[in-house]
Amino acid sequence: MDKIKMIALGCGTLAIALGAGHFIQSGTSAPVMQAAQVAPPAPIPAETAADALPEGQVALEEITITAAAPVPLAAMPAPPAAMPEPLPMPEAIPAALDTTPPPAADLPQEEAVPTFSCEYLLSAEPFAGAMVTLSLDVTCMPNERFTLHHNGMMFSQVTDESGSAEMLVPALSSNAVFIVAFPNGEGAVATAEVTSLGAYERAVVQWKDDLGVALHALEFGADYGTDGHVSADAPRDAAAAATGNTGFMTRLGDSALPEALLAEVYTFPAGMSGQDGDVALNVEAAITEANCGRDIEAQSLQLNQSGVLKVQDVTLAMPDCDAVGEFLVLKNLLNDLTLARN
């Protein structure tokens, strides 16, 4: 019987222990048992407490808790009664302004900037056959195109590598004025007195670009290709006119230039003619690939012994290109010369 009671008491104790462990782990709300009141432990004497501490530790005795008391305003340091006096400033002494410039020798000298000036010089001198020799010198214009103007006649030319050009030009007035004009608007002017012009008659044909225009003179009934046929291909020179029986042709302008102004001038010494007769003046236009099927323009200037200059313009419609290689004769553009023995 006692053995049964001991087993039952053991099982009951085990059940209570298991139930307490389950409560702690699950954290469920359960009635909390009120703890029994326990009396505080009796104070340990200081000597005993100190003896009970491990070696190296010190016991704290009679600790009193304190707090920082506020300092009354009266105890704060008072501000100074007044700001300190500022330091005395040094007396300003006015300086006199010296307006006298320093000597020029003391100033740095400015170096002269090089300038590139260019002179356009043109000279004119009378020549045999009522011609004028023109000399152009413009060193800053090498290989530069220009236009020569004289009494309505114009032609294009170009300077050489040194900016120079030499031209032999037929005069169209006794007080001949020659003007050179460059594309930049600059130019030069020269004059010449041509006293022998009254002894000559002149015929000029001028045009723009290489249109195949040409002036032909047939002296005293000559045919094409004979000695009396004067053209740019058989021009002669001013010396030929000294006999009074033959004339000469002068071609002006550089046809290699684009849209060049070109001219041909025929000169005959009418005042010195040694025979009677006529000189036929024909203006022809070769039909080429460059001018076929288009209009071409030309201008004539004719000067007689009286110094009267006649100007005439002509516009010609060229045939179609299947006529390339043929020639057109421009009628009535120039008057034939009628000469009498002097």
Side-chain angles (χ1 to χ4, degrees), residues 70-265:
V71 180
L73 294 178
M76 297 292 291
M83 296 296 294
E85 291 293 333
L87 296 176
M89 296 295 292
E91 182 181 0
I93 301 175
L97 178 62
D98 186 5
T99 59
T100 304
D106 297 339
L107 294 176
Q109 299 299 317
E110 182 178 358
E111 295 183 4
V113 178
T115 58
F116 300 95
S117 60
C118 182
E119 291 187 294
Y120 292 73
L121 302 177
L122 179 66
S123 62
E125 295 292 335
F127 190 75
M131 304 287 283
V132 177
T133 300
L134 297 175
S135 298
L136 178 64
D137 185 14
V138 189
T139 57
C140 63
M141 289 290 180
N143 303 313
E144 185 67 34
R145 174 177 177 155
F146 65 89
T147 302
L148 191 287
H149 300 260
H150 169 57
N151 214 42
M153 181 173 65
M154 298 179 293
F155 60 90
S156 302
Q157 196 56 268
V158 63
T159 60
D160 59 17
E161 294 181 354
S162 63
S164 302
E166 297 287 334
M167 297 160 283
L168 186 60
V169 182
L172 297 180
S173 63
S174 298
N175 298 317
V177 179
F178 300 90
I179 302 173
V180 167
F182 284 89
N184 63 356
E186 300 292 338
V189 180
T191 60
E193 190 73 21
V194 186
T195 58
S196 62
L197 183 61
Y200 296 88
E201 290 200 15
R202 286 206 155 114
V204 182
V205 177
Q206 59 185 7
W207 63 95
K208 182 179 181 179
D209 214 345
D210 192 5
L211 299 179
V213 178
L215 174 59
H216 298 266
L218 302 173
E219 299 173 343
F220 306 107
D223 291 329
Y224 280 87
T226 64
D227 291 340
H229 176 206
V230 183
S231 67
D233 294 330
R236 301 192 186 135
D237 57 21
T243 63
N245 295 321
T246 57
F248 62 94
M249 189 77 68
T250 306
R251 184 175 175 87
L252 303 170
D254 188 346
S255 59
L257 296 174
E259 299 185 349
L261 300 175
L262 306 172
E264 289 183 359
V265 184

